[in-house]
Amino acid sequence: MISDPKLYAILDLGYTPEAAAEETTAALLGGGADMLQLRAKNQDQATIRRVTERLIPLCRAAGVPFILNDFPVLATELGADGVHIGQDDGTLAVARDIMGPDKIIGRSTHSLDQARAALAEGFDYIGFGPLFPTPTKAGRPAIGLADIATMEREVGSLIPAFCIGGIKRENLPQVLAAGARRVVIVSDLLLAKNVREAAADVKAVLLLGTAPGADVK
């Protein structure tokens, strides 16, 4: 179990070269990331396997869950703590059958209805966004901030709900003011001059601006 996770970091190989994966992950963890996901879009499974095998020990040492984006079979084989799946990546039941009862399974959601559906289906946590336009989700329209408070009240009070998409240190106060309590930040951390300090700055703001919530298994 991890209690009240606030900062969900993503090691995205679209921003971080494989050669820097361990150094960057160590910096994210050192800065206070509560969960760590490997996202490796358009990478072959050999690369994903290789990087995962190097990152899991770092996460274990830090006591932070390691989540693989997509690939529940590979996540199970490699001993990941969980998997994150999108709206088009199948049902929770299928992923749970592959992963087992004790693993963390998260879902991307892009609307209030999808967030409610993920809660009803039984996902352990959700991502909610993208709040702002972001190259990470090219072609997907931003959903804005208006529904965050309702989503937090109906879903985020019961399972961790991480706002995601175009969030940066400069707009984080705006996101928190709209009602967010947990966030995923990708490019603003990965491209920071000092990744550890950037993550620590975000974590400090979240600790001041959030309230206790649900646990992730």
Side-chain angles (χ1 to χ4, degrees):
M1 300 287 288
I2 180 168
S3 178
D4 195 19
K6 292 177 171 65
L7 176 58
Y8 191 165
I10 293 182
L11 194 286
D12 190 328
L13 294 184
Y15 290 103
T16 303
E18 181 182 347
E22 288 165 285
E23 178 184 3
T24 303
T25 295
L28 291 168
L29 295 171
D34 299 303
M35 298 176 69
L36 191 287
Q37 180 189 133
L38 172 63
R39 179 192 284 159
K41 298 292 187 183
N42 303 316
Q43 300 283 340
D44 59 68
Q45 288 211 13
T47 299
I48 297 169
R49 177 186 298 273
R50 191 165 58 243
V51 175
T52 295
E53 289 174 340
R54 287 156 48 194
L55 299 193
I56 284 179
L58 297 176
C59 290
R60 292 278 190 274
V64 169
F66 175 86
I67 310 296
L68 185 61
N69 185 265
D70 301 328
F71 307 110
V73 173
L74 187 59
T76 301
E77 180 183 338
L78 295 175
D81 298 300
V83 71
H84 184 91
I85 59 178
Q87 287 291 313
D88 301 323
D89 295 328
T91 66
L92 173 64
V94 171
R96 181 67 70 200
D97 187 57
I98 295 168
M99 296 290 294
D102 299 323
K103 298 294 186 177
I104 301 166
I105 303 179
R107 172 76 99 184
S108 295
T109 67
H110 315 299
S111 68
L112 267 177
D113 284 345
Q114 289 181 358
R116 292 164 176 148
L119 174 65
E121 197 172 348
F123 281 92
D124 295 308
Y125 74 87
I126 64 165
F128 186 72
L131 301 187
F132 305 101
T134 170
T136 304
K137 298 292 183 183
R140 185 175 294 284
I143 65 173
L145 308 180
D147 290 334
I148 291 176
T150 301
M151 181 279 296
E152 281 287 352
R153 184 172 63 253
E154 295 185 14
V155 179
S157 61
L158 299 171
I159 60 172
F162 297 91
C163 287
I164 184 172
I167 302 174
K168 303 178 184 300
R169 281 165 288 172
E170 64 191 37
N171 63 26
L172 180 58
Q174 180 185 0
V175 173
L176 295 178
R181 297 188 294 162
R182 302 175 175 86
V183 299
V184 177
I185 298 181
V186 186
S187 64
D188 192 51
L189 295 185
L190 297 181
L191 300 177
K193 183 180 242 184
N194 187 312
V195 174
R196 181 177 179 138
E197 286 184 5
D201 288 346
V202 170
K203 184 66 175 288
V205 172
L206 291 170
L207 287 171
L208 287 173
T210 65
D215 291 349
V216 168
K217 294 179 187 178

